């Protein structure tokens, strides 16, 4: 029991070092502040302990002191706030061209599907030094995708996508936890993130072949007869879908929304919510007709029709990433 | 401090003024109602504590081997609901606040004595519902009962929700009573600037109870409506929004933390002033920091939702405001510390609890800075780091304050002195046991152990710290049992308490121990400032008893 007793979590993502740096800074701030208070209390409590015949001094207070211990902590707090906010923005700004993995959470398991088509259960294989963006949704209640070694966590909600990204920096196997209480076997909703060297990853991909997610999306698209209205030539009764993803869409009511994953998702399950300008609200809902995996595939397919958008097309070779301090390019074309 | 042994003859007081069950169950005397609350919340404290013990025993080993998964989920749910809604929220306000506020401001009773009794009955009805719920299976939603889970679980959430709903009205009525009492019932000369800081803290608390509690009541009703009538409010399957629930829930439940901690801060101000024999340093800053906490406390709720899927910019706003609310708490700690400077410090048991409070509250408050930092919160939220943080505030802070206050005013409440040596020992045991229980949980949290995990056999490396925590919980349990034992013992065997055993300032000490039914034999008039310890301790000035 004692020979496996860590005091600091593994640091295995590009963001983890930033989080740890702020955490250590906060440990210092908290240490100094509590030391100040505790030392002052100990000194005062000893020095001014009751002695017969000696009365306490009459002291009303001190305005300069009150101002000092209001303003100085506030200044320190604001610095912490800004630092924390910067990290939060990094955590929520996925780089362009990240590899995409669709995550479906349900009581009590994680279903993960790579854009390249590999499907996994409670396990996610990723190559080291590659940006990975997770597009997550839940089939039932709220879950939370938590990888302590990466210092990332994001709740996974039913009925919408939430997104998080990471870049693993160290090969190894790391815990994946569900961090939002979700019922009986909440504590069984755990898994592994397996970070692999590029060569190992390529071998893993090759041993797990599968059609791309957008290809299965195209199949669903045709099976459901979507192409009847959403014609490529724009002559259908629904808008054409090429080049839509990632662009602003002008709506009937004059608003303009960005066609992100959540917009595509909503347009399938609740088509009346946002009607594209110039079209009639005639599309029926597909809620209940498609499951979460098919929905993800459809979204991936519509995205693949917009090759210029980030993560839009997986037919285009991914950008070659260079590991820091490593001159040999780490290839990751996994078509 | 040596206690002054006074001649105590059998006087008529609120305890012996009337006998029989009826005289207690139909009483409108705020002091008797306080005792009714004391007995009821102690009952729930030990129920909640028993659940905590079972939780800690389950976590002794990584495998889920003591209870079933569903049982464990019910244990932490009922632990949280019982402790939050049936112990912590009523603890200091309904017992000590009820008992002391009228006396501290020189009033005969609260403004609405019968509403005061009604609020106890509402609490008891809520408590009975909660007991029924627990005995017939309990709920497994967690005390936060997030939807959609709480809308679909097949356990008894509706009944638990109803129990909280009813008990909430008890809390609202107590708050209303205090606000009106402080405004309308102050004795001549008891100006706002002469109010004890205990009263200021309760005034701020009451505002939160009045404004916040209705929101949780509405939230519970909405979840119940969704469960029973399938209205689409929160569940996306029905067209609802689960984040709306979290906003509503935390709009009450974050300020609720201040319902628990502000009264404890009030206790600490009284205790420190008395045992340092000094007026609290920066009285008006301490008083107004309570109001500031009550106001800012309403503006930080979404800091519980930084990973829930709220927008980046609202996260920014709530993070910044969370730092703003930390300032008045820090100001209080600095002022208490400064009060010790050039004091004449006595180490009586209540003072040891006050020192313990400052230590634990400081750790709890400073770890709040970690959680308010967006980038850190993402990693530590929903882990044991959060569990440790809020226990440092709500148990380390609020319960330490409650116990300190119980010791400080026990002679006034019971007319008996508790055994000082045992009381000091208990304070020490609680402090050591508490730190051993909860400090390891900070480390567990940063390592990544999620909260509400029944089984951690996937990550056995967390066991050492969990064993330490369970060991600490055992010690803590003994520390909490001890005071109950010697308080009960003192009722029969304790020395009779003089009217003012600690030579404390404050009107409540200027009447008999225990006080007569209407607190003072004649209406007191206040001609001195709060915490006039310099005058009390000045040689040759013998104060005339007031209101005798």
């Amino acid at each position: 029991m004692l020979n496996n007793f860590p005091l600091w979590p593994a640091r295995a993502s590009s963001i983890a070092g930033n989080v740890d740096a702020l955490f250590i800074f906060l440990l210092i701030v908290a240490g100094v502040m509590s030391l100040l208070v505790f030392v002052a209390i100990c000194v005062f409590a000893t020095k001014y302990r009751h002695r017969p015949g000696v009365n306490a001094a009459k002291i009303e207070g001190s305005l300069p002191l009150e101002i000092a211990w209001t303003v100085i902590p506030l200044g320190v707090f604001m610095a912490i706030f800004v630092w924390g906010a910067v990290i939060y923005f990094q955590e929520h700004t996925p780089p362009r061209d990240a590899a995409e993995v669709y995550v479906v959470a349900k009581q009590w398991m994680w279903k993960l599907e790579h854009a390249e088509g590999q499907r996994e259960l409670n396990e996610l294989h990723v190559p080291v030094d590659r940006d990975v963006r997770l597009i997550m949704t839940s089939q039932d209640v709220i879950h939370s995708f938590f990888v302590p070694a990466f210092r990332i966590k994001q709740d996974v909600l039913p009925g919408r996508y939430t997104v998080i990204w990471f870049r693993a920096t160290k090969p190894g196997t790391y815990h994946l936890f569900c961090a939002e209480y979700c019922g009986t076997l909440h504590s069984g909703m755990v898994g592994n993130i397996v970070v692999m060297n590029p060569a190992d990853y390529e071998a893993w991909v090759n041993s797990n072949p599968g059609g791309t997610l957008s290809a299965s999306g195209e199949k669903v698209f045709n099976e459901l007869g979507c192409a009847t209205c959403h014609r490529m030539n724009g002559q259908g009764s629904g808008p054409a879908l090429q080049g839509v993803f990632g662009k602003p869409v002008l709506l009937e009511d004059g608003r303009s929304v960005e066609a992100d994953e959540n917009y595509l998702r909503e347009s399938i399950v609740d088509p009346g919510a946002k009607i594209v300008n110039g079209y009639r609200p005639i599309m029926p809902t597909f809620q209940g007709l498609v499951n979460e995996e098919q929905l993800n595939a459809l979204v991936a397919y519509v995205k693949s029709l917009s090759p210029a958008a980030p993560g839009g097309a997986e037919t285009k070779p991914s950008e070659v990433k260079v590991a820091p301090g490593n001159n040999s390019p780490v290839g990751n074309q996994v078509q | 401090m040596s206690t002054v042994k006074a001649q105590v003859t059998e006087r008529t007081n609120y305890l012996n003024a009337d006998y029989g069950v009826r005289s207690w169950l139909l009483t409108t005397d705020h002091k008797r109602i306080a005792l009714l609350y004391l007995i009821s919340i102690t009952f729930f404290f030990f129920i909640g504590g028993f659940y905590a013990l079972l939780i800690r025993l389950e976590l002794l080993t990584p495998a889920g081997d003591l209870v079933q998964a569903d049982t464990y989920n019910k244990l932490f749910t009922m632990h949280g609901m019982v402790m939050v809604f049936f112990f912590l929220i009523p603890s200091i306000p309904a017992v000590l606040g009820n008992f002391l506020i009228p006396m501290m401001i020189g009033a005969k009773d609260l403004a609405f004595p019968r509403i005061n009794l009604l609020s106890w009955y509402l609490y008891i009805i809520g408590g009975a519902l909660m007991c029924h719920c627990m005995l017939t299976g309990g709920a497994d939603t967690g005390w936060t009962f997030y939807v959609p889970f709480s809308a679909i679980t097949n356990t008894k959430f509706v009944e638990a929700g109803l129990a909280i709903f009813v008990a909430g009205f008890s809390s609202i009525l107590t708050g209303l009573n205090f606000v009106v009492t402080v405004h309308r019932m102050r004795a001549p000369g008891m100006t706002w600037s002469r109010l004890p800081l205990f009263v200021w803290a309760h005034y701020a608390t009451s505002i939160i109870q009045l404004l916040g509690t209705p929101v949780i009541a509405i939230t519970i009703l909405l979840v119940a409506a969704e469960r029973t009538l399938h209205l689409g409010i929160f569940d996306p399957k029905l067209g609802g929004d689960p984040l709306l629930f979290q906003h509503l829930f935390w709009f009450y439940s974050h300020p609720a933390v201040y319902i628990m901690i502000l009264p404890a801060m009030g206790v600490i101000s009284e205790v420190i002033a008395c045992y340092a024999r000094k007026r609290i340093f920066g009285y008006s800053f301490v008083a107004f920091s309570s109001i500031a906490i009550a106001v800012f406390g309403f503006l930080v709720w979404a800091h519980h939702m930084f990973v829930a899927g709220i927008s980046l910019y609202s996260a920014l706003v709530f993070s910044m405001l969370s730092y703003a609310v930390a300032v008045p708490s820090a100001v209080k700690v600095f002022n208490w510390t400064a009060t010790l400077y050039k004091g004449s410090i006595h180490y009586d048991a209540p003072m040891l609890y006050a020192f313990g409070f400052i230590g634990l509250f400081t750790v709890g408050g400073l770890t709040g800075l970690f959680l308010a930092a967006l980038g850190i919160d993402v990693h530590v939220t929903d882990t044991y780091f959060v569990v440790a943080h809020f226990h440092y505030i709500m148990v380390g802070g609020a319960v330490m304050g409650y116990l300190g206050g119980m010791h400080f005013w026990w002679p006034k409440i019971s007319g008996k002195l508790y055994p000082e040596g045992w009381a000091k020992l208990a304070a020490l045991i609680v402090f050591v046991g508490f730190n051993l229980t909860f400090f390891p949980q900070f480390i567990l949290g940063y390592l990544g152990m999620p909260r509400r995990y029944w089984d951690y056999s996937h990550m056995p490396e967390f066991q050492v710290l969990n064993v330490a925590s369970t060991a600490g919980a055992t010690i803590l349990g003994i520390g909490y049992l001890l005071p109950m034992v010697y308080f009960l013992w003192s009722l029969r065997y304790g020395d009779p308490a003089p009217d003012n055993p600690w030579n404390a300032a404050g009107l409540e000490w200027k009447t008999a121990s225990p006080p007569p039914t209407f607190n003072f034999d004649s209406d007191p008039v206040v001609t001195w400032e709060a915490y006039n310890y310099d005058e009390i301790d000045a040689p040759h000035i013998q104060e005339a008893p007031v209101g005798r």
Side-chain angles (χ1 to χ4, degrees):
Chain A
M1 185 161 97
L2 277 167
N3 52 20
N4 183 9
F5 176 33
L7 288 173
W8 201 270
R11 191 182 297 156
S13 77
S14 54
I15 211 91
N18 302 1
V19 175
D20 282 359
L22 176 55
F23 190 78
I24 290 165
F25 176 72
L26 272 160
L27 283 178
I28 295 168
V29 170
V32 169
M33 284 180 81
S34 45
L35 211 63
L36 273 177
V37 171
F38 298 160
V39 167
I41 286 180
C42 290
V43 168
F44 294 163
T46 329
K47 194 168 171 197
Y48 303 113
R49 67 184 178 278
H50 170 69
R51 289 189 184 79
V54 182
N55 279 350
K58 190 182 181 189
I59 301 169
E60 194 59 28
S62 156
L63 186 61
L65 267 180
E66 299 287 350
I67 292 172
W69 62 45
T70 304
V71 173
I72 295 171
L74 190 64
V76 176
F77 293 174
M78 284 302 116
I80 301 169
F81 157 70
V82 171
W83 191 343
V86 167
I87 296 175
Y88 191 70
F89 269 73
Q90 291 168 348
E91 286 166 342
H92 284 86
T93 318
R96 295 173 68 87
D97 298 319
E100 296 194 331
V101 177
Y102 286 79
V103 180
V104 177
K106 62 168 282 194
Q107 289 170 323
W108 296 275
M109 63 174 74
W110 297 100
K111 298 186 281 189
L112 304 107
E113 189 164 7
H114 296 249
E116 291 88 352
Q118 293 78 27
R119 290 175 178 226
E120 306 192 56
L121 216 55
N122 295 333
E123 202 158 50
L124 176 63
H125 289 76
V126 289
V128 75
D129 288 321
R130 178 166 176 193
D131 300 325
V132 178
R133 182 166 174 264
L134 304 174
I135 302 153
M136 310 188 289
T137 188
S138 162
Q139 228 169 281
D140 37 50
V141 301
I142 299 177
H143 303 276
S144 193
F145 191 96
F146 177 33
V147 184
F150 295 171
R151 312 287 188 273
I152 56 163
K153 185 186 290 121
Q154 174 63 52
D155 283 7
V156 181
L157 278 68
R160 74 179 75 173
Y161 289 120
T162 52
V163 170
I164 196 159
W165 77 278
F166 63 84
R167 187 166 78 236
T169 53
K170 224 168 31 181
T173 302
Y174 305 103
H175 292 310
L176 160 64
F177 295 138
C178 174
E180 185 64 66
Y181 172 66
C182 58
T184 308
L185 289 181
H186 169 54
S187 59
M189 198 166 157
V190 294
N192 295 311
I193 308 287
V194 183
V195 179
M196 308 171 95
N197 286 313
D200 297 340
Y201 182 70
E202 205 153 342
W204 177 82
V205 167
N206 290 333
S207 66
N208 290 275
T212 62
L213 190 57
S214 60
S216 31
E218 187 173 10
K219 209 163 139 248
V220 179
F221 193 83
N222 291 325
E223 277 168 11
L224 293 171
C226 308
T228 321
C229 299
H230 296 284
R231 291 191 201 153
M232 292 292 178
N233 59 13
Q235 302 297 306
S237 47
L241 300 175
Q242 308 96 297
V244 164
F245 181 72
K247 300 271 166 47
V249 177
L250 185 65
L251 302 182
E252 200 185 30
D253 56 11
R255 280 185 301 155
S256 174
V257 293
E258 197 203 313
D260 57 5
E261 282 104 350
N262 265 320
Y263 170 80
L264 297 181
R265 179 194 173 87
E266 184 187 52
S267 301
I268 299 168
V269 296
D270 186 10
K274 297 188 178 82
I275 301 294
V276 179
N277 191 34
Y279 289 89
R280 285 178 301 131
I282 52 167
M283 179 171 157
T285 174
F286 284 81
Q287 174 117 51
L289 295 177
V290 287
N291 63 29
E292 292 297 343
E293 282 84 357
Q294 290 171 318
L295 205 46
N296 289 341
L298 282 172
V299 169
Y301 170 63
V302 175
K303 284 164 69 176
S304 73
L305 301 174
S306 307
E314 64 238 332
T315 44
K316 157 182 79 101
S318 308
E319 231 175 307
V320 172
K321 294 260 180 304
V322 180
N326 181 351
N327 288 330
S328 65
V330 183
N332 57 359
Q333 282 102 328
V334 279
Q335 304 310 320
Chain B
M1 191 188 318
S2 65
T3 51
V4 188
K5 285 235 172 162
Q7 278 291 338
V8 179
T9 50
E10 191 65 31
R11 289 182 296 221
T12 305
N13 60 50
Y14 79 104
L15 292 170
N16 64 16
D18 205 351
Y19 292 97
V21 176
R22 257 179 80 90
S23 78
W24 282 89
L25 294 184
L26 296 179
T27 183
T28 54
D29 182 347
H30 66 102
K31 299 181 289 301
R32 285 192 162 205
I33 295 169
L35 288 194
L36 293 176
Y37 266 116
L38 174 62
I39 295 163
S40 346
I41 70 161
T42 306
F43 171 75
F44 281 105
F45 178 71
F46 282 102
I47 290 182
F50 175 68
Y51 291 152
L53 195 65
L54 289 180
I55 290 168
R56 285 309 331 157
L57 285 176
E58 172 61 69
L59 295 176
L60 200 53
T61 55
D65 41 16
L66 181 70
V67 294
Q68 297 291 308
D70 279 324
T71 313
Y72 181 82
N73 295 342
K74 287 174 181 173
L75 282 175
F76 69 69
T77 300
M78 303 324 284
H79 167 72
M81 286 182 175
V82 164
M83 285 302 205
V84 168
F85 296 107
F86 292 92
F87 174 70
L88 284 166
I89 285 176
S91 63
I92 300 180
V95 177
L96 294 172
N98 227 335
F99 195 97
L100 294 164
I101 286 173
M103 277 195 278
M104 284 180 162
I105 64 171
K108 289 188 173 71
D109 205 318
L110 287 172
F112 306 115
R114 274 183 283 198
I115 288 182
N116 196 19
L117 183 65
L118 173 65
S119 80
W120 180 72
Y121 274 103
L122 287 172
Y123 172 85
I124 288 297
I125 293 169
L129 280 168
M130 191 50 97
C131 287
H132 183 259
C133 171
M134 292 186 291
L135 291 172
T136 55
D140 73 339
T141 57
W143 82 275
T144 48
F145 55 97
Y146 272 22
V147 289
F149 182 71
S150 64
I152 62 171
T153 175
N154 53 13
T155 58
K156 300 212 152 195
F157 169 71
V158 172
E159 191 169 358
L162 190 64
I164 296 167
F165 180 83
V166 175
F169 281 92
S170 154
S171 177
I172 293 171
L173 292 180
T174 302
L176 176 79
N177 227 334
F178 287 176
V179 168
V180 177
T181 304
V182 174
H183 272 277
R184 305 296 303 160
M185 309 279 284
R186 282 171 288 123
M190 180 53 85
T191 60
W192 286 87
S193 61
R194 285 175 176 170
L195 282 180
L197 290 163
F198 181 89
V199 178
W200 271 106
H202 275 78
Y203 184 78
T205 307
S206 303
I207 291 171
I208 303 173
Q209 287 175 304
L210 272 175
L211 298 181
T213 318
V215 178
I216 192 81
I218 293 164
T219 313
I220 291 168
L221 281 188
L222 290 175
V223 177
E226 182 158 68
R227 269 184 79 103
T228 51
L229 309 173
H230 301 288
L231 295 179
I233 301 161
F234 302 128
D235 188 348
K237 285 214 170 64
L238 304 168
D241 180 0
L243 285 187
L244 173 65
F245 169 86
Q246 295 178 28
H247 281 293
L248 290 172
F249 178 82
W250 290 114
F251 183 82
Y252 165 76
S253 296
H254 188 76
V257 176
Y258 300 112
I259 297 179
M260 305 172 208
I261 197 68
L262 274 170
M265 293 168 157
V267 169
I268 298 311
S269 293
E270 300 300 311
V271 170
I272 287 184
C274 173
Y275 294 106
R277 312 304 301 165
K278 250 173 114 248
R279 180 174 162 86
I280 285 285
F281 191 91
Y283 167 94
S284 48
F285 289 91
V286 178
F288 279 100
S289 64
S290 290
I291 307 295
I293 288 173
V295 173
F296 281 119
F298 272 112
L299 304 175
V300 300
W301 75 87
H303 69 205
H304 297 267
M305 300 166 60
F306 289 156
V307 302
I310 59 174
S311 88
L312 291 189
Y313 297 98
S314 70
L316 274 190
V317 171
F318 281 102
S319 169
M320 195 166 75
L321 286 167
S322 303
Y323 283 108
V325 80
V327 171
S329 297
V331 164
K332 279 184 194 283
V333 171
F334 294 140
N335 278 296
W336 290 325
T337 308
T339 304
L340 301 176
Y341 176 70
K342 291 197 173 174
S344 170
I345 293 154
H346 299 260
Y347 294 90
D348 291 43
M351 190 62 160
L352 296 191
Y353 279 103
F355 284 142
F357 173 95
I358 297 180
L360 301 182
F361 177 74
T362 302
V363 174
L366 287 169
T367 49
L369 301 180
F370 291 65
L371 288 158
L374 288 161
I376 305 269
D377 183 75
V378 167
H379 176 55
V380 293
T381 188
D382 281 322
T383 69
Y384 268 87
F385 193 93
V386 171
V387 176
H389 160 72
F390 72 71
H391 279 88
Y392 263 82
I393 301 286
M394 287 152 62
V395 185
V399 177
M400 231 29 187
Y402 172 68
L403 286 176
M406 280 307 294
H407 285 81
F408 189 56
W409 284 291
W410 183 252
K412 184 58 62 185
I413 294 171
S414 68
K416 295 294 167 82
L417 294 172
Y418 55 79
E420 178 67 21
W422 283 102
K424 282 181 174 159
L425 181 68
L428 190 71
I429 292 176
V430 168
F431 186 78
V432 171
F434 181 88
N435 281 302
L436 187 55
T437 308
F438 290 105
F439 199 83
Q441 298 185 3
F442 283 123
I443 305 168
L444 272 176
Y446 201 70
L447 287 174
M449 180 162 174
R451 65 192 288 201
R452 297 172 170 174
Y453 263 36
W454 160 67
D455 175 319
Y456 56 103
S457 35
H458 189 66
M459 49 285 192
E461 68 269 25
F462 294 156
Q463 191 179 6
V464 176
L465 291 164
N466 271 295
V467 169
S469 184
T470 301
T474 328
I475 299 172
L476 188 59
I478 294 168
Y480 285 148
L481 276 172
L482 261 183
M484 196 174 81
V485 172
Y486 59 73
F487 278 149
L488 288 175
W489 175 90
S490 76
L491 287 181
R492 194 173 168 90
Y493 303 104
D495 290 333
D499 293 355
N500 190 355
W502 325 123
N503 256 324
L507 273 177
E508 78 272 25
W509 299 107
K510 297 187 191 302
T511 183
S513 296
T517 299
F518 290 108
N519 299 341
F520 304 96
D521 292 333
S522 64
D523 294 343
V525 176
V526 181
T527 56
W528 58 90
E529 298 304 316
Y531 311 110
N532 57 337
Y533 283 102
D534 53 322
E535 289 165 31
I536 294 174
D537 290 344
H540 310 307
I541 295 177
Q542 196 62 48
E543 261 190 294
V546 174
R548 239 345 132 63

